[in-house]
Amino acid sequence: MHWADAFVKDLTEKQTVSTGISPSGHIHVGNMREILTGYFFHRALKDRGVESRFIYLCDDIDPLRKVYPFLKKEEYEQHVGKPLSSIPAPEGEGTYSEYFLRPFLETLGTIEVKVEVIRSTDLYRDGVFAKATDIVMNNVPRIREILETVSGRKLEPNWAPYNPICSSCGRINSTSVTGYTFPYVDYTCKCGHSGKSDIRKNEGKLPWRLEWPAKWFALGVTIEPFGKDHGAAGGSYDTGKAIAEEIFGIKAPLPLTYERILLKGKGVMHSSTGNVIPASEMVQYAPPEILRFLIARTHPSRHIDFDPGLGLLNLVDEYERYRNVFYGLEEAAGEDDARTYELSRLVEEKPDTFVSFRHLITLVQIYTTDEQLLGAMKRSGYGESKLSPYMKNQVKVAKAWLEKYAPDQVKFSLLPQDTKVSLSEQDVALARSFQEKIGEIEWTPEAIHNAVHGFIKEQNLEPKAGFATFYKILIGKERGPRLGYFLSNLDRVNVQRRLEIVLSGN
RNA sequence: GGGCCCAUAGCUCAGCUAGGUAGAGCAUCUGGCUUUUAACCAGGUGGUCGAGGGUUCGAAUCCCUCUGGGCCCGCCA
């Protein structure tokens, strides 16, 4: 059974699956595990006929913690400590949080993940946290005791479970609570200002360890996946669970701690270090369903070493193998293959409506126009009369991947006309016979192929070695794309000239 | 100091929940194919299942200890 199905298999009541990511920087492939793990639970529930609500809480009231390396120091120093929803975007119009949220939401659209997006600033502004905040402010000693016991840390004497936003300087990290009378929290700020925050508005926020259980309480969350940073003993899930049960009188959601996604050879993806591939970029360099597949195929308890190079190509191969399993064209290797495919795919893909991505990688390096490409695809079993939007995107993605991440192993390009290549006697003889007759060969794939094969046979060569001669001359490699189709797309005069140049040097 | 996860073929992994003769893909090798989608078809090589102990008629699977690797908490979120 697929891990998502196994996780929800005993649930029959309506569930609310919640996820949360802070838009403090680029929302990256690593963050996708949060939202997609939740999404797969949601899907698994619905597929079992269990009612489910799926929400994503965007923590946009969180303060900017520091000036990240990707921010201009002079510009953002003044904003440290202010909510992400009230400081300017690194570029263009709008707020900081929306700047990073927008491409993420677009990416969710691209991979067909439908989720209710809730901004924490809005929750506070609309008073959704008011009741929870009031409960919390009336139970400070008990909460302090829980936090100190469960987490083992000592809280400051003036600690309070609420952080007011200073109405004068806008900071949330420099205020101290001095009193509480519903609905106002009194505070003083390091900037010298004293004031009141209305807990029914976005004039302050709960600290994380309280905000999390308050969210469960206010929104009725029953399932929540989270990163292992929250899952450590004495971590925020432990304290959250205790607060949920003892202060709010609710059950904590069913937890799932997931492992991190690493970038192969570079370690953990962190927005603060810049060691990231934003999710919005990944869907430009990989078929979008692969983002889902990457997360769906691996149990959350295992870390993922993501390799955007050759590893990505292998990943797509695997996805396509699972697709074949789903359509009964191939035997399953693992028992969840078909289900993993089903959870990953974006649209129904009938077997004759696509061409394998690996093959496409070759094709887009040979053909320049859609017509040529379509012809080549049809020879590979593509049944549509024109490029589908899906395949158009695949083509775009294949080109982008070649440009940015492809290893040399899968790339080829014509050698410059005057590049010297040393050839064996066999190579020379073969290339010469072709070069001498090149003007008489009909410049079509089949005719070229037949001509080359004729010369190979005439000279008693191994076909493989014979073809290699031409690859050496043209692209400097031992192997290459099917020669007839390849050459027919090159200008005959240029090919002739290239052969002459190489032969004159041997 | 504390916690979690991982370890099975050269590589990526399945198998572990409910113990019953060790699996797949890729790579590699051999053979086939009168012509290459960086193919295709058939077959082969390759593993003391990280180590040790325990439970059991029987352990990759359950329990304990250890080793190695990774990550996290003890600021903030």
Side-chain angles (χ1 to χ4, degrees):
Chain A
M1 193 186 281
H2 187 270
W3 55 263
D5 294 315
F7 188 80
V8 304
K9 74 175 185 332
D10 297 325
L11 303 172
T12 51
E13 302 293 303
K14 186 195 167 179
Q15 301 294 319
T16 297
V17 182
S18 177
T19 58
I21 301 168
S22 161
S24 58
H26 286 292
I27 295 179
H28 51 80
V29 174
N31 298 133
M32 292 310 286
R33 200 163 205 179
E34 168 90 13
I35 197 105
L36 283 174
T37 302
Y39 171 75
F40 293 136
F41 289 156
H42 173 65
R43 265 287 292 276
L45 285 164
K46 287 203 302 181
D47 289 353
R48 295 176 65 80
V50 178
E51 212 186 322
S52 173
R53 180 186 183 203
F54 178 40
I55 59 180
Y56 158 57
L57 193 78
C58 173
D59 302 313
D60 65 349
I61 202 170
D62 287 3
L64 181 70
R65 264 184 280 162
K66 58 176 184 179
V67 180
Y68 297 112
F70 52 85
L71 296 173
K72 285 194 191 109
K73 193 163 190 220
E74 326 74 77
E75 205 174 317
Y76 278 91
E77 230 162 12
Q78 56 175 320
H79 296 308
V80 171
K82 298 183 192 172
L84 301 173
S85 57
S86 61
I87 57 179
E91 51 182 35
E93 300 285 299
T95 64
Y96 187 100
S97 51
E98 294 300 316
Y99 175 83
F100 288 111
L101 186 58
R102 201 179 311 117
F104 171 62
L105 296 183
E106 276 166 18
T107 303
L108 289 182
T110 304
I111 62 172
E112 305 275 343
V113 169
K114 291 181 181 62
V115 62
E116 245 179 88
V117 179
I118 301 172
R119 292 160 178 82
S120 61
T121 302
D122 294 349
L123 286 184
Y124 283 101
R125 187 199 59 210
D126 298 342
V128 178
F129 279 139
K131 191 175 173 197
T133 306
D134 184 50
I135 293 173
V136 156
M137 288 306 290
N138 288 322
N139 286 279
V140 176
R142 184 77 190 101
I143 288 170
R144 172 191 288 274
E145 193 188 327
I146 292 171
L147 287 179
E148 293 194 334
T149 312
V150 178
S151 75
R153 67 168 176 161
K154 202 80 187 131
L155 296 174
E156 297 292 313
N158 65 342
W159 179 87
Y162 187 82
N163 302 129
I165 298 171
C166 176
S167 62
S168 171
C169 72
R171 268 175 253 280
I172 199 167
N173 66 344
S174 59
T175 50
S176 306
V177 172
T178 54
Y180 172 65
T181 320
F182 181 85
Y184 297 109
V185 174
D186 305 309
Y187 67 85
T188 60
C189 181
K190 283 176 189 154
C191 74
H193 180 76
S194 296
K196 288 175 186 299
S197 283
D198 187 336
I199 62 164
R200 298 167 304 179
K201 298 185 181 155
N202 54 326
E203 296 179 355
K205 79 181 282 286
L206 297 162
W208 168 248
R209 282 183 187 249
L210 287 144
E211 187 176 78
W212 205 17
K215 163 187 161 187
W216 301 338
F217 172 71
L219 303 176
V221 177
T222 57
I223 295 179
E224 178 140 2
F226 48 84
K228 63 196 302 181
D229 45 343
H230 299 306
S236 51
Y237 182 76
D238 279 359
T239 54
K241 186 174 193 287
I243 287 164
E245 288 166 1
E246 295 182 38
I247 305 298
F248 294 123
I250 56 163
K251 273 182 74 175
L254 208 55
L256 181 113
T257 312
Y258 56 83
E259 269 286 347
R260 314 198 67 99
I261 297 184
L262 315 172
L263 206 45
K264 188 156 187 106
K266 292 182 176 173
V268 183
M269 278 199 210
H270 265 311
S271 21
S272 57
T273 55
N275 185 33
V276 293
I277 297 181
S280 54
E281 271 183 28
M282 175 159 168
V283 296
Q284 290 167 28
Y285 298 111
E289 56 272 26
I290 298 305
L291 182 50
R292 290 171 65 141
F293 183 64
L294 176 76
I295 315 262
R297 72 194 268 271
T298 305
H299 191 277
S301 67
R302 299 180 71 113
H303 79 252
I304 295 173
D305 212 0
F306 179 63
D307 169 17
L310 199 58
L312 180 72
L313 204 52
N314 290 331
L315 192 65
V316 180
D317 276 350
E318 198 177 335
Y319 170 80
E320 290 173 350
R321 196 157 55 239
Y322 285 20
R323 173 168 59 199
N324 287 339
V325 170
F326 182 86
Y327 285 106
L329 302 173
E330 205 172 316
E331 227 169 287
E335 56 184 63
D336 303 323
D337 293 2
R339 178 61 168 157
T340 301
Y341 163 74
E342 198 184 14
L343 289 172
S344 305
R345 70 173 178 186
L346 306 181
V347 291
E348 284 209 26
E349 307 168 288
K350 301 240 167 51
D352 66 344
T353 60
F354 52 80
V355 171
S356 90
F357 191 69
R358 191 179 283 270
H359 184 34
L360 206 55
I361 289 295
T362 302
L363 296 185
V364 300
Q365 292 182 87
I366 304 175
Y367 304 105
T368 46
T369 70
D370 280 4
E371 291 73 43
Q372 293 173 324
L373 198 58
L374 185 62
M377 284 165 57
K378 282 184 171 168
R379 289 193 297 275
S380 307
Y382 185 69
E384 306 285 296
S385 55
K386 56 177 190 170
L387 282 183
S388 63
Y390 174 78
M391 284 311 298
K392 268 192 181 154
N393 187 61
Q394 292 288 93
V395 168
K396 200 169 119 192
V397 163
K399 287 179 177 167
W401 180 78
L402 278 163
E403 181 80 18
K404 179 139 182 173
Y405 292 112
D408 291 342
Q409 197 180 335
V410 300
K411 283 197 278 196
F412 59 84
S413 57
L414 290 175
L415 293 172
Q417 276 291 45
D418 55 357
T419 310
K420 291 192 172 61
V421 177
S422 74
L423 298 172
S424 69
E425 273 177 44
Q426 277 187 357
D427 288 331
V428 172
L430 181 62
R432 180 150 287 140
S433 40
F434 183 78
Q435 191 263 128
E436 281 165 359
K437 293 276 161 54
I438 195 168
E440 300 164 28
I441 300 167
E442 193 194 342
W443 209 242
T444 62
E446 205 183 340
I448 294 170
H449 205 109
N450 286 336
V452 171
H453 191 259
F455 293 128
I456 289 173
K457 212 175 161 189
E458 216 173 270
Q459 300 179 20
N460 280 320
L461 302 175
E462 284 284 317
K464 203 174 185 175
F467 284 104
T469 302
F470 292 92
Y471 297 127
K472 274 185 262 182
I473 293 170
L474 294 165
I475 61 177
K477 296 188 164 208
E478 290 288 323
R479 308 170 89 182
R482 206 169 178 169
L483 196 61
Y485 294 112
F486 185 37
L487 286 188
S488 70
N489 281 282
L490 303 177
D491 184 77
R492 186 200 311 233
V493 177
N494 286 340
V495 173
Q496 184 169 19
R497 183 85 194 106
R498 174 71 188 140
L499 289 169
E500 279 165 11
I501 289 168
V502 171
L503 285 169
S504 69
N506 276 275

